[in-house]
Amino acid sequence: MWSRFTSHLYVRIWLAVVATVVVLAFLVGAAWQLSTDPPQLPIREVLVHNAAGEVIGRAQTRADRKRGDDLEFDVATRDGQTLNLQLPRPKRPPGSSWTRPPFGFGWMLGVVALAVALGAYPIIRRLTQRLEGLQRGVERWGSGDLSARVAVQGSDEVAFLAERFNHAAERIETLMESQKALLASHKSLLANASHELRSPLARIRMGLELMGGGAGSTQRAEISHSISELDQLIDEILLASRLDTKQADAEPFELLDLTGLAAEECARVQAELGTAAQTESLTLQGSARLLRRLIRNLLENARRYSTGAVSLELGQTGAGPQRRAVIRVNDHGPGVPPDQRERIFEPFYRLPGASEREGGVGLGLALVKSITERHGGSVRCEARPGGGASFVVELPMPVAT
């Protein structure tokens, strides 16, 4: 409790001020006590007058008088008599001078400390409230709210810091908006260019179909294969653009059979399909067109880099609202290094050394990630026991009623 209370800056400053004043008052009081209590008491003198006002005797206190002793004088008169005069000390109230009210030093110290505490608190609190406002603004800005600003009050160092923070935040917000606008412009240009390529590709394909066979059949097959790859690339670019611009939100989500969908795609590329022990097919809410593309991209990616059989396994995990369908695609390829397992889902990113391989431009896995996130799921790449890679997609399943 105490550590939580003293963790605030204004509390620490306030306590430091109060402690400083207390120590200073203590030192001043100690110095005052020493200055008013000299080690040797002063010599006192007494004069005795007669009725006529004449001095008939005088005496002084002893030099070895101790503190607390009564004043005692031995007065020798002019007629030869010796008078002993004693002046008892007055009775003091009980207790030490440090605690004796109302002017004891301890009481004065407490009053001074209370006055300083009451006077310093609002001043220190006002200063630290501005620092806390700056802290809240920085936390909001750091959490992603680039429009966060802090109030500038006064003309001291705190106000200067707040002003510089606002200036830096405004510049960064402007730069981010410019970058977003530039990226959107590039995506729009890429999507429009890809869409415009559809027409010449269709004419080339039609002309290729009208060509005869014979000696040029090998070249025609190669041209047809290149056209198919280019057409697939255009299709992926357009789909990625639609996903980025949220146009895919218009895709109808319906209850679909994931097992049947996976079986169709596995049969298309001759991949093995395995399912966990269960009595019913996996069903979930989603877009059949997008999920078909997700499974197709995973299988084609595995087929492209695998030297052996490709398999797809279906299963589920969790229970109740946490139920998730699991799609796992396994290959026997070279695998993915641990430091690259996140980057391979970036658009147009390819593993080092993969540029010479046939097919693939780095969009397939990026589309897998976009489609998975659109369905509220997650995707990851894992090392496969025995070599190769496993791509695991988890998608939420509807709660059984």
Side-chain angles (χ1 to χ4, degrees):
M1 181 64 183
W2 173 252
S3 59
R4 185 187 306 177
F5 176 72
T6 56
S7 63
H8 298 287
L9 179 60
Y10 71 91
V11 174
R12 295 200 299 269
I13 297 176
W14 179 64
L15 291 176
V17 171
V18 172
T20 302
V21 172
V22 170
V23 172
L24 181 61
F26 177 80
L27 294 177
V28 171
W32 174 73
Q33 290 285 349
L34 292 176
S35 63
T36 55
D37 296 330
Q40 183 177 0
L41 297 175
I43 297 176
R44 307 293 296 272
E45 185 178 19
V46 66
L47 300 177
V48 180
H49 298 264
N50 58 15
E54 298 174 345
V55 177
I56 60 174
R58 65 176 61 201
Q60 293 181 340
T61 57
R62 297 189 307 271
D64 59 349
R65 181 169 62 94
K66 300 295 188 299
R67 177 173 297 277
D69 295 344
D70 296 336
L71 294 177
E72 185 176 354
F73 303 91
D74 293 328
V75 182
T77 62
R78 287 188 297 182
D79 56 3
Q81 296 182 6
T82 300
L83 303 177
N84 183 266
L85 181 62
Q86 290 186 353
L87 298 177
R89 294 181 62 85
K91 298 296 183 181
R92 293 187 176 182
S96 171
S97 60
W98 286 72
T99 58
R100 187 182 305 121
F103 301 111
F105 182 71
W107 285 87
M108 293 181 63
L109 185 64
V111 171
V112 170
L114 180 61
V116 171
L118 295 178
Y121 180 84
I123 300 174
I124 296 173
R125 189 69 185 104
R126 178 176 176 81
L127 171 64
T128 54
Q129 277 181 336
R130 296 164 60 198
L131 292 175
E132 290 174 358
L134 180 60
Q135 178 188 9
R136 289 191 295 269
V138 173
E139 288 178 349
R140 284 180 53 202
W141 186 83
S143 63
D145 184 9
L146 298 183
S147 62
R149 299 293 184 271
V150 296
V152 180
Q153 300 176 354
S155 58
D156 53 6
E157 291 82 355
V158 179
F160 176 78
L161 182 60
E163 183 178 357
R164 298 310 300 171
F165 167 77
N166 290 340
H167 180 67
E170 184 176 357
R171 291 190 61 186
I172 293 176
E173 185 181 14
T174 303
L175 290 175
M176 291 299 295
E177 290 178 354
S178 301
Q179 183 182 16
K180 289 180 180 179
L182 182 61
L183 184 60
S185 176
H186 286 174
K187 289 180 178 179
S188 176
L189 178 62
L190 184 62
N192 292 334
S194 301
H195 186 271
E196 293 300 325
L197 284 175
R198 281 285 175 82
S199 297
L201 271 180
R203 291 194 296 268
I204 294 173
R205 190 186 299 275
M206 183 179 297
L208 189 64
E209 294 294 332
L210 295 176
M211 291 176 58
S217 60
T218 303
Q219 289 80 1
R220 191 177 71 168
E222 183 177 352
I223 294 174
S224 178
H225 179 70
S226 299
I227 291 176
S228 298
E229 285 190 348
L230 186 56
D231 189 50
Q232 182 180 359
L233 173 61
I234 292 173
D235 190 46
E236 288 183 346
I237 292 175
L238 290 174
L239 180 57
S241 176
R242 294 180 62 222
L243 289 172
D244 287 338
T245 57
K246 309 300 183 183
Q247 293 182 13
D249 286 340
E251 289 282 341
F253 273 37
E254 57 186 357
L255 192 65
L256 54 88
D257 181 9
L258 184 62
T259 305
L261 203 64
E264 293 176 5
E265 291 302 315
C266 286
R268 192 180 67 86
V269 296
Q270 290 79 45
E272 299 178 5
L273 175 63
T275 57
Q278 54 187 11
T279 57
E280 58 182 9
S281 299
L282 293 177
T283 57
L284 51 81
Q285 287 283 346
S287 166
R289 191 175 74 90
L290 293 180
L291 290 178
R292 185 182 297 275
R293 172 55 65 92
L294 180 147
I295 297 175
R296 180 175 301 179
N297 283 7
L298 287 176
L299 291 174
E300 290 181 351
N301 180 77
R303 178 67 69 190
R304 183 177 297 116
Y305 297 106
S306 178
T307 57
V310 175
S311 63
L312 185 149
E313 300 176 1
L314 292 178
Q316 64 179 10
T317 183
Q322 303 299 323
R323 288 179 66 217
R324 287 182 172 262
V326 180
I327 306 173
R328 183 183 294 269
V329 177
N330 306 310
D331 62 51
H332 293 81
V336 181
D339 59 338
Q340 303 288 324
R341 291 173 186 168
E342 293 291 336
R343 296 203 61 189
I344 58 176
F345 295 101
E346 298 177 4
F348 299 105
Y349 180 79
R350 305 180 67 183
L351 290 174
S355 58
E356 300 299 327
R357 295 175 181 168
E358 182 180 359
V361 295
L363 266 181
L365 293 180
L367 284 176
V368 169
K369 183 177 181 180
S370 297
I371 294 172
T372 302
E373 292 177 347
R374 184 58 54 87
H375 287 77
S378 62
V379 60
R380 64 183 183 274
C381 176
E382 299 177 348
R384 182 177 178 272
S390 293
F391 289 85
V392 183
V393 176
E394 294 186 3
L395 301 172
M397 298 179 64
V399 180
T401 56

